[in-house]
Amino acid sequence: MTHTKHIAIRPINPIAQAALQNAGAAPLLAQLYAARNVSQPAELEDSFTQLIPYTQLTNCTAAASRLADAIQNQEKILIIADYDADGATACSVGMKGLGSMGAIVDFFVPNRFEHGYGLTPELADIAHEKGANLILTVDNGISSADGVARAKAWGIDTVVTDHHVAGSHVPDCIIVNPNQRGCDFPSKSLAGVGVIFYVLIALRAELRQRGYFAHASNLHTNQYRQPENHAPIAEPKLDELLDLVALGTVADVVPLDHNNRILVSQGLKRIRKGKMSHGIRALFEVARRDPRKAQPFDMGFGLGPRINAAGRLDDMSLGIACLLSGCLEQAQSIAAQLNDLNHTRQEIEQGMLKDVLKLCPETLPETQTTLSVFREDFHQGVIGIVASRLKDRFYRPVFVFAPSGDNEIRGSGRSIAGVHLRDVLDTVAKRCPNMIVKFGGHAMAAGLTMHADRFDEFCTVFEAVVRDLVDEDILSQTFLTDGSLKTEDICLEQAQLINSQVWGQGFPPPSFTDEFSVLKQQPMGAEKKHVKAWVQKDGREFEAMFWRCEDELPPQIRLVYRPTVNEWRGNQELQLYVDYWEAV
């Protein structure tokens, strides 16, 4: 089964396209949105009035009530966060939101090398030592039944806010999670930061109903129920947290359904107007990106990796400190440290990738459907990124392992469309009892911890399970495009229009496929690993960039390309980014 590549065109619902265009959408946008299953004109809107109400999120009001009690009774709330960008932004949103309502709140983020993932019994002990009365998890907790039980033994309540898929055994506490059984919330794609943002909206409504907030009319009276010796608290504006919500949502690569597109769009609008936290501003600076032109791409490839570098190589508390900083100079200093960590992460990743590729042939044998690699000197913090690079190179499900102590190894996997990686691990675990210590994840990404001496066995069983699932079609890489783009629409104006929309996971940026003549080409970059070419269609000439391309281009060529806006010395010009090419 060879790694072949195909170009396909998204089907378009013509009724939906007509409805969107009749509602005022530009013809090209109507086509692009209809091809992404948008059928109602309301889905083009990004106003807050279009957000799904918090009342539809199971236990959201119950969590709000418990948090409101904690605030009014001045209980100590401890946030337990995950150590990725979603966890860091969710923690920061929780800290800022609760703090703005008068809560006594602190956070603890586990170190991936010391504590592992989630609210473990050990972390419950730490919460007890810190004097916590209430634990609030963000972006984790749905699998932390033992940790919640230990907290309860200490007399500590727990509220879990999470978005990961629940297993058969969930904690005995208030759980807010759109993916828990029995939750009818229409958007199952909320990131962890989106869930805690919803809880804060519900909490503000609960405190408002209790008459808690100070208003101009009662500022000097005792009509509102706030803690004794507490300065009057005005109702907070939670939209000030949307820059963080947008960053976490994009960085966690959750599908951008309509609800998530609203959250991201609103956050980007604030950032473009300069309304952002010091931490976000400092991260834009260090990533050398212009916040006035902020795009989801900046979040996913500029800011997100720098926040994630803290959790991968050091301690995510550093990333959270940047996001919570009340002073721009301090935020800039921390952002510089995060930037250095990201450079180190890139160097480690490149070194590991070179080592792995030395072990692999240029192409995998036709009969091989998976790839699993392990070395004693691999770094746990970047195995997921390396797995992603290998998946892109070979287009096969991949696991990369690194030592994790106690004769165990930790693996991070990435998959291809048609192979649900978490389900594959479930099958492997059932076939080989006692091999895997623990596992979890989603369709496209999963992780596990297993006994080191069973690695060879894992490779064999993983390969066998996947081979039973796949066929030639699944192992063929398909570039799904929006078809041909009219020559007159291959222009700067349409590129700007496309660029102004929110695209991302599950709502992919538009790409098109057309035939061109190659007029001229030249290698680019220090190592000449890219090509800039001038191509022609219907007598019009366009500049195109071929990234990671060292081949001589043929005279006639079919491209899968994206029209982009290239900025150079204050000027904007059209440039085509090529995702794939083949000779005609």
Side-chain angles (χ1 to χ4, degrees):
M1 290 182 274
T2 55
H3 177 191
T4 55
K5 298 182 180 182
H6 303 293
I7 299 172
I9 297 174
R10 288 185 181 87
I12 302 172
N13 180 334
I15 298 174
Q17 183 178 358
L20 297 176
Q21 198 165 331
N22 290 337
L28 180 58
L29 282 186
Q31 172 199 326
L32 298 174
Y33 273 68
R36 286 156 180 77
N37 298 315
V38 172
S39 57
Q40 301 299 322
E43 290 184 69
L44 300 174
E45 299 293 326
D46 66 357
S47 68
F48 266 130
T49 57
Q50 298 290 326
L51 268 185
I52 301 166
Y54 70 84
T55 50
Q56 293 189 42
L57 184 56
T58 298
N59 291 333
C60 197
T61 53
S65 179
R66 180 64 186 89
L67 287 166
D69 291 344
I71 289 173
Q72 291 191 314
N73 297 327
Q74 290 292 272
E75 296 177 61
K76 292 183 179 179
I77 303 171
L78 183 68
I79 295 175
I80 301 292
D82 188 14
Y83 40 65
D84 65 0
D86 186 17
T89 51
C91 180
S92 303
V93 164
M95 288 291 294
K96 288 187 173 188
L98 289 169
S100 70
M101 298 185 217
I104 300 174
V105 59
D106 197 1
F107 74 91
F108 186 84
V109 56
N111 185 301
R112 76 162 71 217
F113 309 107
E114 296 176 20
H115 306 110
Y117 171 77
L119 173 58
T120 60
E122 180 190 1
L123 260 62
D125 294 342
I126 291 173
H128 171 67
E129 291 166 10
K130 288 179 171 286
N133 306 112
L134 176 64
I135 291 172
L136 173 66
T137 73
V138 293
D139 191 33
N140 74 93
I142 195 64
S143 59
S144 300
D146 292 343
V148 170
R150 177 72 65 86
K152 185 173 288 188
W154 285 119
I156 304 172
D157 284 348
T158 303
V159 171
V160 164
T161 72
D162 200 353
H163 69 123
H164 296 99
V165 176
S168 56
H169 189 42
V170 298
D172 180 19
C173 65
I174 296 172
I175 299 173
V176 187
N177 181 341
N179 290 300
Q180 67 177 311
R181 288 178 178 83
C183 183
D184 296 325
F185 193 70
S187 170
K188 302 299 182 183
S189 301
L190 273 180
V193 69
V195 177
I196 186 61
F197 184 68
Y198 259 80
V199 169
L200 290 175
I201 294 173
L203 173 59
R204 183 178 62 179
E206 174 69 21
L207 289 173
R208 182 191 300 142
Q209 189 175 359
R210 296 186 185 192
Y212 173 83
F213 294 116
H215 298 284
S217 60
N218 65 5
L219 199 58
H220 302 292
T221 73
N222 292 316
Q223 293 175 12
Y224 47 89
R225 290 186 55 219
Q226 291 185 356
E228 292 183 15
N229 304 319
H230 207 294
I233 295 172
E235 188 170 308
K237 296 179 179 178
L238 296 179
D239 59 350
E240 294 174 357
L241 304 173
L242 282 166
D243 56 344
L244 297 168
V245 176
L247 172 56
T249 299
V250 172
D252 209 46
V253 204
V254 292
L256 293 186
D257 61 8
H258 185 217
N259 211 58
N260 278 341
R261 291 201 303 277
I262 293 171
L263 294 172
V264 172
S265 179
Q266 290 290 337
L268 288 172
K269 284 181 177 180
R270 289 187 60 84
I271 290 169
R272 290 176 196 142
K273 291 177 182 176
K275 298 177 180 179
M276 71 196 96
S277 63
H278 295 308
I280 295 290
R281 186 182 298 278
L283 287 168
F284 265 96
E285 288 177 6
V286 82
R288 296 181 179 179
R289 295 171 190 267
D290 187 349
R292 293 171 299 180
K293 298 163 184 168
Q295 296 291 334
F297 186 85
D298 299 314
M299 301 286 197
F301 294 92
L303 280 65
R306 285 166 171 81
I307 289 289
N308 273 325
R312 293 186 188 282
L313 301 186
D314 192 4
D315 186 338
M316 185 47 92
S317 298
L318 188 67
I320 295 170
C322 179
L323 298 177
L324 289 178
S325 179
C327 161
L328 181 57
E329 285 187 8
Q330 182 192 43
Q332 289 168 329
S333 174
I334 301 172
Q337 295 178 58
L338 293 172
N339 197 49
D340 290 343
L341 279 173
N342 193 49
H343 283 313
T344 303
R345 186 270 303 170
Q346 290 171 324
E347 290 169 2
I348 294 171
E349 172 200 328
Q350 288 303 313
M352 284 174 58
L353 196 56
K354 285 180 181 177
D355 289 344
V356 171
L357 292 176
K358 285 177 188 174
L359 304 173
C360 300
E362 276 294 311
T363 56
L364 297 179
E366 285 191 22
T367 55
Q368 187 171 336
T369 63
T370 64
L371 178 64
S372 300
V373 292
F374 164 64
R375 275 182 42 160
E376 289 284 354
D377 58 349
F378 279 179
H379 192 295
Q380 291 184 37
V382 297
I383 52 177
I385 300 174
V386 174
S388 182
R389 301 283 186 269
L390 291 172
K391 182 267 296 181
D392 291 342
R393 183 183 180 97
F394 296 110
Y395 202 70
R396 293 290 186 268
V398 173
F399 270 101
V400 178
F401 290 85
S404 63
D406 296 328
N407 296 314
E408 293 178 348
I409 56 177
R410 189 168 295 168
S412 186
R414 297 295 183 269
S415 195
I416 60 176
V419 180
H420 194 298
L421 208 54
R422 191 219 171 263
D423 289 354
V424 166
L425 284 182
D426 189 45
T427 303
V428 171
K430 287 171 181 172
R431 287 193 189 180
C432 303
N434 305 319
M435 179 173 73
I436 295 177
V437 177
K438 57 184 177 182
F439 70 92
H442 308 284
M444 304 304 284
L448 76 156
T449 299
M450 58 177 279
H451 299 293
D453 60 359
R454 308 283 292 273
F455 172 71
D456 290 339
E457 182 184 357
F458 173 83
C459 295
T460 302
V461 179
F462 178 44
E463 172 71 22
V465 171
V466 172
R467 189 182 292 130
D468 288 344
L469 293 173
V470 299
D471 55 23
E472 190 76 43
D473 288 341
I474 290 176
L475 295 179
S476 298
Q477 188 171 6
T478 300
F479 292 90
L480 195 56
T481 75
D482 292 286
S484 176
L485 185 59
K486 294 176 185 174
T487 306
E488 60 267 28
D489 283 339
I490 308 177
C491 61
L492 181 62
E493 291 72 25
Q494 294 289 33
Q496 290 169 328
L497 178 66
I498 291 170
N499 207 39
S500 66
Q501 308 301 303
V502 172
W503 312 101
Q505 181 70 16
F507 204 74
S511 66
F512 304 91
T513 181
D514 283 294
E515 291 185 16
F516 293 85
S517 302
V518 177
L519 303 177
K520 189 173 68 168
Q521 56 187 296
Q522 67 183 48
M524 298 286 291
E527 299 179 16
K528 308 298 184 186
K529 290 193 173 182
H530 314 297
V531 171
K532 179 191 281 189
W534 287 262
V535 298
Q536 188 179 66
K537 179 191 175 193
D538 296 336
R540 288 189 55 195
E541 187 177 317
F542 307 97
E543 187 179 285
M545 287 300 303
F546 295 71
W547 304 107
R548 292 180 293 281
C549 174
E550 300 178 59
D551 300 316
E552 179 82 13
L553 302 174
Q556 296 294 320
I557 196 169
R558 174 175 288 280
L559 302 182
V560 172
Y561 65 96
R562 290 172 285 128
T564 63
V565 179
N566 182 41
E567 297 202 16
W568 178 249
R569 293 179 177 171
N571 295 319
Q572 291 190 338
E573 59 184 27
L574 174 72
Q575 198 169 61
L576 309 184
Y577 276 17
V578 177
D579 293 326
Y580 171 67
W581 66 269
E582 60 187 26
V584 176

